[in-house]
Amino acid sequence: MSVKILRIKFKNIHSLKGEQELDFTKSPLSDTGIFAIVGPTGAGKSTILDVIMLGIYGQMPRLDEKISKDSIEKFGSVITRNTDEAYAEVEFLAKGRGYRSKWAIRKNRNGNLNDYTMELAELPDGKIIETKKSLIPALNEEIIGLK
């Protein structure tokens, strides 16, 4: 089975402040069959991988525990310092169908983190498949075929 990442979008993840997007459907990334993620220390290579894992599974390999508002506050990571919201969104093709999986978190009006949310949608129309965050990682595992 083939799975292809189409696009990743994220905002305020680790030290990469603001909205960022990598679109693998547009040139130059669409023009190559294979590519490498390279750059100096601190350039954001691991952050890109974290965004993919966070958007699909709600987890980050570099943190030993499940991502939650408590773990974010405990480790002081995931969300860029001095920002109020963050998200990680991954669009992908699997089994001939398009999907968008998103993880998001934000601070409330009192400056405290709300619990994170997740959403799984079909592409291209954006029809929501699931919003229950406890179900989405398992649904993505089933769709993608990888834990």
Side-chain angles (χ1 to χ4, degrees):
M1 171 183 34
S2 169
V3 176
K4 183 176 183 177
I5 296 175
L6 303 174
R7 181 177 297 110
I8 63 171
K9 293 168 51 174
F10 59 99
K11 182 177 183 178
N12 298 331
I13 301 292
H14 298 313
S15 63
L16 298 179
K17 189 174 184 177
E19 291 190 291
Q20 314 290 328
E21 181 176 347
L22 288 172
D23 190 338
F24 299 100
T25 66
K26 294 182 180 173
S27 185
L29 296 174
S30 65
D31 299 337
T32 182
I34 191 168
F35 56 88
I37 301 172
V38 297
T41 301
K45 301 176 299 293
S46 296
T47 298
I48 291 169
L49 300 175
D50 284 344
V51 165
I52 294 168
M53 294 296 294
L54 192 57
I56 294 174
Y57 300 110
Q59 297 181 7
M60 285 186 181
R62 67 169 108 184
L63 298 179
D64 288 338
E65 57 184 82
K66 190 172 188 248
I67 298 292
S68 66
K69 68 179 185 175
D70 294 333
S71 68
I72 291 170
E73 290 168 346
K74 176 181 172 184
F75 293 112
S77 64
V78 181
I79 300 175
T80 306
R81 289 178 195 246
N82 302 316
T83 62
D84 293 335
E85 65 179 327
Y87 71 83
E89 181 177 292
V90 181
E91 293 182 5
F92 60 94
L93 284 176
K95 300 178 183 175
R97 297 173 68 184
Y99 299 91
R100 180 183 62 242
S101 188
K102 183 175 182 178
W103 176 96
I105 195 164
R106 66 178 39 233
K107 290 181 180 177
N108 60 31
R109 62 184 171 173
N110 299 323
N112 299 316
L113 282 176
N114 290 325
D115 205 5
Y116 72 90
T117 60
M118 288 191 79
E119 175 182 284
L120 180 62
E122 287 181 310
L123 296 176
D125 62 0
K127 179 183 173 199
I128 304 298
I129 298 170
E130 186 60 69
T131 58
K132 193 169 184 179
K133 65 184 176 193
S134 63
L135 299 178
I136 292 173
L139 283 172
N140 281 330
E141 286 178 19
E142 184 180 317
I143 291 165
I144 294 169
L146 294 171
K147 291 185 175 192

